[in-house]
Amino acid sequence: MQLAPRPVDVPKIPGALKFYKVMAYITGTFLLLLVAEMLLKYLGGVELEIAGPFGFLYLAPAGTVKAVNGSTGILIIHGWLYVIYLFAGFRLWSMMRWPFLKFIVIAAGGVVPGLSFVVEHYYKKPVEAFIAANQGATA
């Protein structure tokens, strides 16, 4: 039996959903950028150089980046965005009082390319239905 959200959390759920949706798209986009970067590095033998001697963006041979390494930057940014995404997912999951497996699926959305978009699409529907059913409580 699934627990219902606590009455004290009901007004906070729309904001938690919006935060989760934004983070799902941003994190998913950076994960796709990370996959593209890894394909370029390990299959193409190049890394993204930013503001180097060959222009603002340059695909330099791997290991020869002289300026800002954009490949490493994408990796670091995705890592921190994933932490924020996990927080957003945990917040929504805990307010909705869903089973633990749903949080595991949310967490996987930040490490499986494309999954964050799918999870966001399917998990927002019951939350939006809950918000619509409890419109007076969220105002």
Side-chain angles (χ1 to χ4, degrees):
M1 180 174 108
Q2 183 175 330
L3 300 172
R6 292 182 297 266
V8 70
D9 288 335
V10 171
K12 301 174 194 170
I13 290 174
L17 176 63
K18 188 173 189 174
F19 182 43
Y20 170 72
K21 287 168 53 175
V22 168
M23 288 313 303
Y25 279 101
I26 293 172
T27 304
T29 301
F30 266 88
L31 181 57
L32 293 177
L33 281 173
L34 180 60
V35 169
E37 179 272 322
M38 290 176 74
L39 290 173
L40 283 172
K41 183 175 181 176
Y42 295 111
L43 296 180
V46 294
E47 291 181 294
L48 181 63
E49 181 180 73
I50 300 173
F54 297 104
F56 183 70
L57 292 176
Y58 176 68
L59 291 176
T64 64
V65 175
K66 304 227 183 295
V68 177
N69 190 329
S71 299
T72 303
I74 291 170
L75 177 71
I76 292 169
I77 291 169
H78 169 70
W80 282 108
L81 287 172
Y82 180 65
V83 171
I84 299 168
Y85 168 77
L86 276 179
F87 173 74
F90 178 80
R91 186 169 175 242
L92 181 64
W93 169 80
S94 64
M95 285 183 186
M96 292 301 296
R97 299 177 75 179
W98 283 335
F100 186 67
L101 182 61
K102 282 196 175 192
F103 180 69
I104 297 299
V105 174
I106 288 171
V111 293
V112 177
L115 186 60
S116 68
F117 305 113
V118 176
V119 172
E120 183 272 336
H121 175 74
Y122 285 104
Y123 281 15
K124 75 176 177 184
K125 288 180 180 183
V127 178
E128 288 173 343
F130 177 82
I131 291 169
N134 295 284
Q135 196 66 33
T138 59

